[in-house]
Amino acid sequence: MTTVATTRDTRVTAALAAVEDAFGTRPAADAPAWLQPAREKAFATFRGTGLPLTRDEDWKYTSLAGFAERSAAYLQNHPSSDDDAAVTTLLDALPDAEDGIRIVFVNGRYRADLSNTSRAEPGVDLTPYSAIDAESGSRILNRQPVDDNALIALNTAFLTDGLAIRVADGCRADGPMHVIFAADGQPAAVQPRLSVELGRNARAFVVQHHIGTGEALTNAVTRIDCAEHAHLFFVRLQDESHQSIHVANQLASVATDGRLDSVSIDFGAQLARNDLELELDGERAHANLFGLFMANGSRHVDNHLRVDHRMPDTTSMENYRGIISDAARGVFNGKIIVHPGADGTDAQMSNRNLVLSDRAEIDTEPELEIYTD
């Protein structure tokens, strides 16, 4: 086991030099001018941190060797968007959205011709990063710190486009906003970015949907902010090709009397790793976190959750389920941290799995840290 892990870690390290070459040759014209300083700063962070290895506690069950090698191979590619046949086929298979809001990105780039935002309610702002001015763009990125998270840093370093959703104070946007990130089968490393910001007393329903064909590589980052008394119902659905690699980071915060209902579903990808970090920052903030994955063959799905209770009377509930067969593997790690002063915290966690094969494996690790008396 140690030899296998060391070999995989060596493959990760070897691929980093090629990723650095890709950043040096990738033209800045790929992204808005206001993004370039953030990209350079993020890559410096990534270069200093490197990708996590299996000897890191949070990654001991999941190797990024394939992710690193595919990144090194794909990041120097510049996929075209001339042939939409594959994307059209993928979109046609989705439920009819003529009366809804649909925002489509193909290989990380916004496609207005495939999107429909005409039914957006007053008070709902849907803006691609490629259309944001420098001041607004900087404000959005400042809410999404890179810190030492190598995957978020990598996403920022190669970021070309994304979507900013802002719901004004008091706005009730109950109709679904369907944000689709599609990979059309070209050898591309895609860095999707979605930010969702709800004002005071606002409501919204957002679906983040990943679809694709071929050996796609996705490194997604999502930022969610719920202000006082706001309520967001958020669904993340990953249904990419079974040959793809999908890595996702979600960062969420909920203020006083706010609520987040999150549903995370994984049906696709050869390797899927999802990290969700939630901050309950205001008194009586609440979150319901639901998850489901299905895996067969030799597929690997890893869900890592961290919930920080920082204020009194905050509540959270985690409920994750998995179904695996053949030689598939599932991982669940749920960490709840009750910080000093977070008296009256109520946190619940449940992870149950159905294993349909003697060769399939599930690793479950619940963690609880309490620092308040």
mmCIF file of all heavy atoms in Angstrom, residues 310-354:
data_model
loop_
_atom_site.group_PDB
_atom_site.id
_atom_site.type_symbol
_atom_site.label_atom_id
_atom_site.label_comp_id
_atom_site.label_asym_id
_atom_site.label_seq_id
_atom_site.Cartn_x
_atom_site.Cartn_y
_atom_site.Cartn_z
ATOM 1 N N ARG A 310 -20.062 28.594 14.288
ATOM 2 C CA ARG A 310 -19.290 29.680 14.892
ATOM 3 C C ARG A 310 -20.106 30.571 15.821
ATOM 4 O O ARG A 310 -19.531 31.373 16.560
ATOM 5 C CB ARG A 310 -18.649 30.539 13.799
ATOM 6 C CG ARG A 310 -17.631 29.772 12.953
ATOM 7 C CD ARG A 310 -16.815 30.686 12.076
ATOM 8 N NE ARG A 310 -15.817 29.953 11.301
ATOM 9 C CZ ARG A 310 -14.617 29.578 11.757
ATOM 10 N NH1 ARG A 310 -14.272 29.890 13.003
ATOM 11 N NH2 ARG A 310 -13.782 28.911 10.990
ATOM 12 N N MET A 311 -21.427 30.466 15.778
ATOM 13 C CA MET A 311 -22.278 31.345 16.578
ATOM 14 C C MET A 311 -23.315 30.528 17.338
ATOM 15 O O MET A 311 -23.580 29.371 16.999
ATOM 16 C CB MET A 311 -22.970 32.364 15.669
ATOM 17 C CG MET A 311 -22.011 33.322 14.957
ATOM 18 S SD MET A 311 -21.125 34.403 16.090
ATOM 19 C CE MET A 311 -22.455 35.510 16.566
ATOM 20 N N PRO A 312 -23.929 31.109 18.371
ATOM 21 C CA PRO A 312 -24.899 30.357 19.181
ATOM 22 C C PRO A 312 -26.131 29.934 18.395
ATOM 23 O O PRO A 312 -26.556 30.590 17.445
ATOM 24 C CB PRO A 312 -25.269 31.352 20.286
ATOM 25 C CG PRO A 312 -24.159 32.337 20.329
ATOM 26 C CD PRO A 312 -23.667 32.453 18.921
ATOM 27 N N ASP A 313 -26.686 28.793 18.832
ATOM 28 C CA ASP A 313 -27.987 28.300 18.354
ATOM 29 C C ASP A 313 -28.011 28.010 16.859
ATOM 30 O O ASP A 313 -29.050 28.119 16.212
ATOM 31 C CB ASP A 313 -29.105 29.294 18.712
ATOM 32 C CG ASP A 313 -29.195 29.549 20.209
ATOM 33 O OD1 ASP A 313 -29.085 28.577 20.980
ATOM 34 O OD2 ASP A 313 -29.348 30.722 20.600
ATOM 35 N N THR A 314 -26.869 27.658 16.291
ATOM 36 C CA THR A 314 -26.836 27.244 14.889
ATOM 37 C C THR A 314 -27.137 25.750 14.794
ATOM 38 O O THR A 314 -26.838 24.975 15.709
ATOM 39 C CB THR A 314 -25.470 27.543 14.252
ATOM 40 O OG1 THR A 314 -24.440 26.967 15.068
ATOM 41 C CG2 THR A 314 -25.245 29.034 14.142
ATOM 42 N N THR A 315 -27.706 25.337 13.672
ATOM 43 C CA THR A 315 -28.098 23.942 13.493
ATOM 44 C C THR A 315 -27.676 23.457 12.118
ATOM 45 O O THR A 315 -27.657 24.210 11.143
ATOM 46 C CB THR A 315 -29.621 23.760 13.652
ATOM 47 O OG1 THR A 315 -30.300 24.636 12.731
ATOM 48 C CG2 THR A 315 -30.062 24.091 15.074
ATOM 49 N N SER A 316 -27.342 22.176 12.045
ATOM 50 C CA SER A 316 -26.988 21.571 10.761
ATOM 51 C C SER A 316 -27.398 20.116 10.756
ATOM 52 O O SER A 316 -27.430 19.455 11.801
ATOM 53 C CB SER A 316 -25.484 21.693 10.482
ATOM 54 O OG SER A 316 -24.737 20.917 11.400
ATOM 55 N N MET A 317 -27.700 19.613 9.565
ATOM 56 C CA MET A 317 -28.048 18.211 9.386
ATOM 57 C C MET A 317 -27.394 17.715 8.102
ATOM 58 O O MET A 317 -27.574 18.299 7.033
ATOM 59 C CB MET A 317 -29.571 18.045 9.318
ATOM 60 C CG MET A 317 -30.037 16.585 9.385
ATOM 61 S SD MET A 317 -30.035 15.795 7.764
ATOM 62 C CE MET A 317 -31.368 16.669 6.976
ATOM 63 N N GLU A 318 -26.599 16.646 8.211
ATOM 64 C CA GLU A 318 -25.943 16.027 7.063
ATOM 65 C C GLU A 318 -26.527 14.630 6.861
ATOM 66 O O GLU A 318 -26.571 13.834 7.800
ATOM 67 C CB GLU A 318 -24.435 15.921 7.283
ATOM 68 C CG GLU A 318 -23.744 17.259 7.518
ATOM 69 C CD GLU A 318 -22.278 17.084 7.868
ATOM 70 O OE1 GLU A 318 -21.651 16.134 7.346
ATOM 71 O OE2 GLU A 318 -21.760 17.883 8.671
ATOM 72 N N ASN A 319 -26.942 14.344 5.636
ATOM 73 C CA ASN A 319 -27.551 13.053 5.335
ATOM 74 C C ASN A 319 -27.065 12.615 3.956
ATOM 75 O O ASN A 319 -27.547 13.106 2.934
ATOM 76 C CB ASN A 319 -29.073 13.179 5.353
ATOM 77 C CG ASN A 319 -29.754 11.829 5.395
ATOM 78 O OD1 ASN A 319 -29.192 10.817 5.001
ATOM 79 N ND2 ASN A 319 -30.997 11.810 5.867
ATOM 80 N N TYR A 320 -26.084 11.699 3.921
ATOM 81 C CA TYR A 320 -25.464 11.253 2.667
ATOM 82 C C TYR A 320 -25.688 9.755 2.480
ATOM 83 O O TYR A 320 -25.597 8.980 3.433
ATOM 84 C CB TYR A 320 -23.968 11.573 2.657
ATOM 85 C CG TYR A 320 -23.654 12.941 2.078
ATOM 86 C CD1 TYR A 320 -24.131 14.097 2.678
ATOM 87 C CD2 TYR A 320 -22.901 13.074 0.915
ATOM 88 C CE1 TYR A 320 -23.851 15.355 2.154
ATOM 89 C CE2 TYR A 320 -22.618 14.324 0.374
ATOM 90 C CZ TYR A 320 -23.102 15.452 1.003
ATOM 91 O OH TYR A 320 -22.828 16.684 0.467
ATOM 92 N N ARG A 321 -25.944 9.366 1.216
ATOM 93 C CA ARG A 321 -26.191 7.975 0.874
ATOM 94 C C ARG A 321 -25.359 7.589 -0.346
ATOM 95 O O ARG A 321 -25.141 8.411 -1.247
ATOM 96 C CB ARG A 321 -27.687 7.752 0.565
ATOM 97 C CG ARG A 321 -28.615 8.070 1.724
ATOM 98 C CD ARG A 321 -28.490 7.022 2.819
ATOM 99 N NE ARG A 321 -29.448 7.237 3.899
ATOM 100 C CZ ARG A 321 -29.177 7.882 5.022
ATOM 101 N NH1 ARG A 321 -27.970 8.402 5.187
ATOM 102 N NH2 ARG A 321 -30.091 8.006 5.955
ATOM 103 N N GLY A 322 -24.937 6.325 -0.392
ATOM 104 C CA GLY A 322 -24.183 5.833 -1.529
ATOM 105 C C GLY A 322 -24.637 4.441 -1.934
ATOM 106 O O GLY A 322 -25.042 3.642 -1.084
ATOM 107 N N ILE A 323 -24.572 4.165 -3.238
ATOM 108 C CA ILE A 323 -24.875 2.835 -3.780
ATOM 109 C C ILE A 323 -23.727 2.461 -4.714
ATOM 110 O O ILE A 323 -23.475 3.160 -5.702
ATOM 111 C CB ILE A 323 -26.201 2.817 -4.558
ATOM 112 C CG1 ILE A 323 -27.351 3.304 -3.671
ATOM 113 C CG2 ILE A 323 -26.488 1.418 -5.092
ATOM 114 C CD1 ILE A 323 -28.659 3.482 -4.423
ATOM 115 N N ILE A 324 -23.021 1.365 -4.403
ATOM 116 C CA ILE A 324 -21.878 0.993 -5.235
ATOM 117 C C ILE A 324 -21.927 -0.493 -5.569
ATOM 118 O O ILE A 324 -22.473 -1.308 -4.811
ATOM 119 C CB ILE A 324 -20.538 1.333 -4.556
ATOM 120 C CG1 ILE A 324 -20.370 0.562 -3.244
ATOM 121 C CG2 ILE A 324 -20.423 2.816 -4.302
ATOM 122 C CD1 ILE A 324 -18.973 0.716 -2.659
ATOM 123 N N SER A 325 -21.328 -0.830 -6.707
ATOM 124 C CA SER A 325 -21.271 -2.216 -7.160
ATOM 125 C C SER A 325 -19.931 -2.459 -7.832
ATOM 126 O O SER A 325 -19.084 -1.570 -7.931
ATOM 127 C CB SER A 325 -22.422 -2.504 -8.129
ATOM 128 O OG SER A 325 -22.319 -1.685 -9.283
ATOM 129 N N ASP A 326 -19.731 -3.688 -8.328
ATOM 130 C CA ASP A 326 -18.496 -4.076 -9.012
ATOM 131 C C ASP A 326 -17.281 -3.792 -8.121
ATOM 132 O O ASP A 326 -17.278 -4.181 -6.969
ATOM 133 C CB ASP A 326 -18.389 -3.371 -10.364
ATOM 134 C CG ASP A 326 -19.588 -3.632 -11.262
ATOM 135 O OD1 ASP A 326 -20.112 -4.759 -11.211
ATOM 136 O OD2 ASP A 326 -20.005 -2.728 -11.992
ATOM 137 N N ALA A 327 -16.267 -3.102 -8.653
ATOM 138 C CA ALA A 327 -15.071 -2.783 -7.868
ATOM 139 C C ALA A 327 -15.007 -1.292 -7.557
ATOM 140 O O ALA A 327 -13.919 -0.720 -7.402
ATOM 141 C CB ALA A 327 -13.819 -3.211 -8.615
ATOM 142 N N ALA A 328 -16.154 -0.650 -7.457
ATOM 143 C CA ALA A 328 -16.202 0.785 -7.185
ATOM 144 C C ALA A 328 -15.848 1.062 -5.725
ATOM 145 O O ALA A 328 -15.895 0.179 -4.864
ATOM 146 C CB ALA A 328 -17.582 1.335 -7.501
ATOM 147 N N ARG A 329 -15.507 2.326 -5.474
ATOM 148 C CA ARG A 329 -15.140 2.726 -4.114
ATOM 149 C C ARG A 329 -15.791 4.060 -3.786
ATOM 150 O O ARG A 329 -15.814 4.984 -4.589
ATOM 151 C CB ARG A 329 -13.627 2.856 -3.975
ATOM 152 C CG ARG A 329 -13.171 3.140 -2.536
ATOM 153 C CD ARG A 329 -11.666 3.075 -2.415
ATOM 154 N NE ARG A 329 -11.239 3.123 -1.017
ATOM 155 C CZ ARG A 329 -9.969 3.039 -0.618
ATOM 156 N NH1 ARG A 329 -9.010 2.902 -1.525
ATOM 157 N NH2 ARG A 329 -9.653 3.089 0.655
ATOM 158 N N GLY A 330 -16.299 4.154 -2.572
ATOM 159 C CA GLY A 330 -16.884 5.391 -2.092
ATOM 160 C C GLY A 330 -16.201 5.835 -0.810
ATOM 161 O O GLY A 330 -15.759 5.012 -0.006
ATOM 162 N N VAL A 331 -16.103 7.146 -0.627
ATOM 163 C CA VAL A 331 -15.496 7.714 0.570
ATOM 164 C C VAL A 331 -16.420 8.807 1.097
ATOM 165 O O VAL A 331 -16.923 9.634 0.327
ATOM 166 C CB VAL A 331 -14.108 8.317 0.270
ATOM 167 C CG1 VAL A 331 -13.498 8.907 1.544
ATOM 168 C CG2 VAL A 331 -13.177 7.272 -0.345
ATOM 169 N N PHE A 332 -16.645 8.801 2.406
ATOM 170 C CA PHE A 332 -17.372 9.900 3.050
ATOM 171 C C PHE A 332 -16.612 10.323 4.291
ATOM 172 O O PHE A 332 -16.306 9.501 5.161
ATOM 173 C CB PHE A 332 -18.789 9.488 3.441
ATOM 174 C CG PHE A 332 -19.510 10.554 4.230
ATOM 175 C CD1 PHE A 332 -20.137 11.601 3.588
ATOM 176 C CD2 PHE A 332 -19.532 10.509 5.624
ATOM 177 C CE1 PHE A 332 -20.784 12.594 4.314
ATOM 178 C CE2 PHE A 332 -20.177 11.499 6.363
ATOM 179 C CZ PHE A 332 -20.807 12.545 5.701
ATOM 180 N N ASN A 333 -16.307 11.626 4.349
ATOM 181 C CA ASN A 333 -15.713 12.193 5.550
ATOM 182 C C ASN A 333 -16.534 13.418 5.933
ATOM 183 O O ASN A 333 -16.637 14.365 5.160
ATOM 184 C CB ASN A 333 -14.250 12.592 5.306
ATOM 185 C CG ASN A 333 -13.607 13.208 6.540
ATOM 186 O OD1 ASN A 333 -13.799 14.387 6.815
ATOM 187 N ND2 ASN A 333 -12.835 12.425 7.272
ATOM 188 N N GLY A 334 -17.119 13.377 7.104
ATOM 189 C CA GLY A 334 -17.921 14.495 7.582
ATOM 190 C C GLY A 334 -17.332 15.036 8.871
ATOM 191 O O GLY A 334 -17.203 14.302 9.852
ATOM 192 N N LYS A 335 -16.955 16.304 8.871
ATOM 193 C CA LYS A 335 -16.352 16.923 10.049
ATOM 194 C C LYS A 335 -17.230 18.072 10.523
ATOM 195 O O LYS A 335 -17.579 18.965 9.748
ATOM 196 C CB LYS A 335 -14.946 17.431 9.743
ATOM 197 C CG LYS A 335 -14.257 18.126 10.918
ATOM 198 C CD LYS A 335 -12.883 18.664 10.529
ATOM 199 C CE LYS A 335 -11.906 17.528 10.257
ATOM 200 N NZ LYS A 335 -10.527 18.040 10.006
ATOM 201 N N ILE A 336 -17.566 18.035 11.803
ATOM 202 C CA ILE A 336 -18.336 19.110 12.434
ATOM 203 C C ILE A 336 -17.468 19.740 13.510
ATOM 204 O O ILE A 336 -16.927 19.039 14.367
ATOM 205 C CB ILE A 336 -19.644 18.582 13.048
ATOM 206 C CG1 ILE A 336 -20.551 18.006 11.946
ATOM 207 C CG2 ILE A 336 -20.360 19.689 13.817
ATOM 208 C CD1 ILE A 336 -21.773 17.287 12.488
ATOM 209 N N ILE A 337 -17.317 21.067 13.454
ATOM 210 C CA ILE A 337 -16.512 21.786 14.434
ATOM 211 C C ILE A 337 -17.397 22.811 15.144
ATOM 212 O O ILE A 337 -17.996 23.680 14.495
ATOM 213 C CB ILE A 337 -15.314 22.486 13.782
ATOM 214 C CG1 ILE A 337 -14.438 21.460 13.055
ATOM 215 C CG2 ILE A 337 -14.496 23.237 14.819
ATOM 216 C CD1 ILE A 337 -13.259 22.063 12.327
ATOM 217 N N VAL A 338 -17.482 22.688 16.459
ATOM 218 C CA VAL A 338 -18.236 23.633 17.285
ATOM 219 C C VAL A 338 -17.229 24.566 17.935
ATOM 220 O O VAL A 338 -16.474 24.165 18.813
ATOM 221 C CB VAL A 338 -19.074 22.897 18.336
ATOM 222 C CG1 VAL A 338 -19.908 23.900 19.146
ATOM 223 C CG2 VAL A 338 -19.988 21.863 17.672
ATOM 224 N N HIS A 339 -17.216 25.816 17.501
ATOM 225 C CA HIS A 339 -16.201 26.769 17.933
ATOM 226 C C HIS A 339 -16.558 27.397 19.279
ATOM 227 O O HIS A 339 -17.718 27.340 19.714
ATOM 228 C CB HIS A 339 -16.029 27.850 16.864
ATOM 229 C CG HIS A 339 -15.383 27.353 15.613
ATOM 230 N ND1 HIS A 339 -14.030 27.460 15.371
ATOM 231 C CD2 HIS A 339 -15.910 26.713 14.523
ATOM 232 C CE1 HIS A 339 -13.759 26.936 14.186
ATOM 233 N NE2 HIS A 339 -14.874 26.476 13.654
ATOM 234 N N PRO A 340 -15.586 27.993 19.957
ATOM 235 C CA PRO A 340 -15.868 28.665 21.231
ATOM 236 C C PRO A 340 -16.984 29.697 21.077
ATOM 237 O O PRO A 340 -16.994 30.477 20.121
ATOM 238 C CB PRO A 340 -14.528 29.346 21.567
ATOM 239 C CG PRO A 340 -13.498 28.512 20.877
ATOM 240 C CD PRO A 340 -14.150 28.053 19.607
ATOM 241 N N GLY A 341 -17.927 29.659 22.002
ATOM 242 C CA GLY A 341 -19.048 30.591 21.971
ATOM 243 C C GLY A 341 -20.243 30.099 21.195
ATOM 244 O O GLY A 341 -21.310 30.732 21.231
ATOM 245 N N ALA A 342 -20.124 28.980 20.490
ATOM 246 C CA ALA A 342 -21.247 28.460 19.695
ATOM 247 C C ALA A 342 -22.156 27.595 20.563
ATOM 248 O O ALA A 342 -22.453 26.439 20.245
ATOM 249 C CB ALA A 342 -20.726 27.680 18.496
ATOM 250 N N ASP A 343 -22.614 28.162 21.665
ATOM 251 C CA ASP A 343 -23.499 27.431 22.571
ATOM 252 C C ASP A 343 -24.843 27.175 21.905
ATOM 253 O O ASP A 343 -25.312 27.969 21.082
ATOM 254 C CB ASP A 343 -23.706 28.239 23.855
ATOM 255 C CG ASP A 343 -22.392 28.546 24.559
ATOM 256 O OD1 ASP A 343 -21.544 27.647 24.623
ATOM 257 O OD2 ASP A 343 -22.219 29.698 25.006
ATOM 258 N N GLY A 344 -25.471 26.077 22.273
ATOM 259 C CA GLY A 344 -26.767 25.737 21.714
ATOM 260 C C GLY A 344 -26.686 25.116 20.330
ATOM 261 O O GLY A 344 -27.712 24.983 19.653
ATOM 262 N N THR A 345 -25.509 24.711 19.910
ATOM 263 C CA THR A 345 -25.359 24.065 18.605
ATOM 264 C C THR A 345 -26.105 22.735 18.564
ATOM 265 O O THR A 345 -26.065 21.943 19.509
ATOM 266 C CB THR A 345 -23.873 23.815 18.297
ATOM 267 O OG1 THR A 345 -23.235 25.062 18.040
ATOM 268 C CG2 THR A 345 -23.703 22.914 17.084
ATOM 269 N N ASP A 346 -26.784 22.474 17.458
ATOM 270 C CA ASP A 346 -27.443 21.187 17.220
ATOM 271 C C ASP A 346 -26.963 20.690 15.863
ATOM 272 O O ASP A 346 -27.313 21.262 14.829
ATOM 273 C CB ASP A 346 -28.960 21.351 17.234
ATOM 274 C CG ASP A 346 -29.690 20.013 17.045
ATOM 275 O OD1 ASP A 346 -29.016 18.975 16.902
ATOM 276 O OD2 ASP A 346 -30.938 20.018 17.033
ATOM 277 N N ALA A 347 -26.127 19.643 15.861
ATOM 278 C CA ALA A 347 -25.557 19.119 14.626
ATOM 279 C C ALA A 347 -25.847 17.626 14.523
ATOM 280 O O ALA A 347 -25.602 16.876 15.473
ATOM 281 C CB ALA A 347 -24.056 19.373 14.579
ATOM 282 N N GLN A 348 -26.340 17.207 13.370
ATOM 283 C CA GLN A 348 -26.662 15.801 13.142
ATOM 284 C C GLN A 348 -25.986 15.334 11.861
ATOM 285 O O GLN A 348 -25.856 16.091 10.903
ATOM 286 C CB GLN A 348 -28.176 15.608 13.033
ATOM 287 C CG GLN A 348 -28.957 16.090 14.244
ATOM 288 C CD GLN A 348 -30.444 15.950 14.047
ATOM 289 O OE1 GLN A 348 -30.930 14.970 13.483
ATOM 290 N NE2 GLN A 348 -31.195 16.949 14.507
ATOM 291 N N MET A 349 -25.570 14.064 11.855
ATOM 292 C CA MET A 349 -24.895 13.494 10.688
ATOM 293 C C MET A 349 -25.309 12.045 10.497
ATOM 294 O O MET A 349 -25.389 11.283 11.458
ATOM 295 C CB MET A 349 -23.376 13.570 10.862
ATOM 296 C CG MET A 349 -22.576 13.033 9.668
ATOM 297 S SD MET A 349 -20.806 12.868 10.027
ATOM 298 C CE MET A 349 -20.394 14.537 10.513
ATOM 299 N N SER A 350 -25.561 11.682 9.256
ATOM 300 C CA SER A 350 -25.902 10.304 8.920
ATOM 301 C C SER A 350 -25.298 9.951 7.573
ATOM 302 O O SER A 350 -25.414 10.708 6.607
ATOM 303 C CB SER A 350 -27.430 10.120 8.865
ATOM 304 O OG SER A 350 -27.767 8.820 8.407
ATOM 305 N N ASN A 351 -24.620 8.799 7.518
ATOM 306 C CA ASN A 351 -24.075 8.298 6.259
ATOM 307 C C ASN A 351 -24.353 6.794 6.176
ATOM 308 O O ASN A 351 -23.847 6.021 6.981
ATOM 309 C CB ASN A 351 -22.578 8.563 6.159
ATOM 310 C CG ASN A 351 -21.946 7.935 4.924
ATOM 311 O OD1 ASN A 351 -20.940 7.240 4.997
ATOM 312 N ND2 ASN A 351 -22.550 8.162 3.765
ATOM 313 N N ARG A 352 -25.165 6.414 5.215
ATOM 314 C CA ARG A 352 -25.500 5.012 5.013
ATOM 315 C C ARG A 352 -25.268 4.656 3.555
ATOM 316 O O ARG A 352 -25.524 5.459 2.656
ATOM 317 C CB ARG A 352 -26.949 4.728 5.409
ATOM 318 C CG ARG A 352 -27.224 4.961 6.893
ATOM 319 C CD ARG A 352 -28.640 4.621 7.258
ATOM 320 N NE ARG A 352 -28.892 4.849 8.676
ATOM 321 C CZ ARG A 352 -30.059 4.618 9.275
ATOM 322 N NH1 ARG A 352 -31.094 4.168 8.563
ATOM 323 N NH2 ARG A 352 -30.204 4.864 10.567
ATOM 324 N N ASN A 353 -24.803 3.410 3.341
ATOM 325 C CA ASN A 353 -24.413 3.003 1.993
ATOM 326 C C ASN A 353 -24.886 1.586 1.710
ATOM 327 O O ASN A 353 -24.967 0.743 2.617
ATOM 328 C CB ASN A 353 -22.887 3.072 1.847
ATOM 329 C CG ASN A 353 -22.343 4.457 2.140
ATOM 330 O OD1 ASN A 353 -22.449 5.358 1.328
ATOM 331 N ND2 ASN A 353 -21.788 4.645 3.336
ATOM 332 N N LEU A 354 -25.166 1.329 0.446
ATOM 333 C CA LEU A 354 -25.559 0.001 -0.013
ATOM 334 C C LEU A 354 -24.438 -0.535 -0.900
ATOM 335 O O LEU A 354 -24.148 0.034 -1.950
ATOM 336 C CB LEU A 354 -26.868 0.090 -0.798
ATOM 337 C CG LEU A 354 -27.431 -1.228 -1.338
ATOM 338 C CD1 LEU A 354 -27.733 -2.194 -0.199
ATOM 339 C CD2 LEU A 354 -28.695 -0.969 -2.168
#
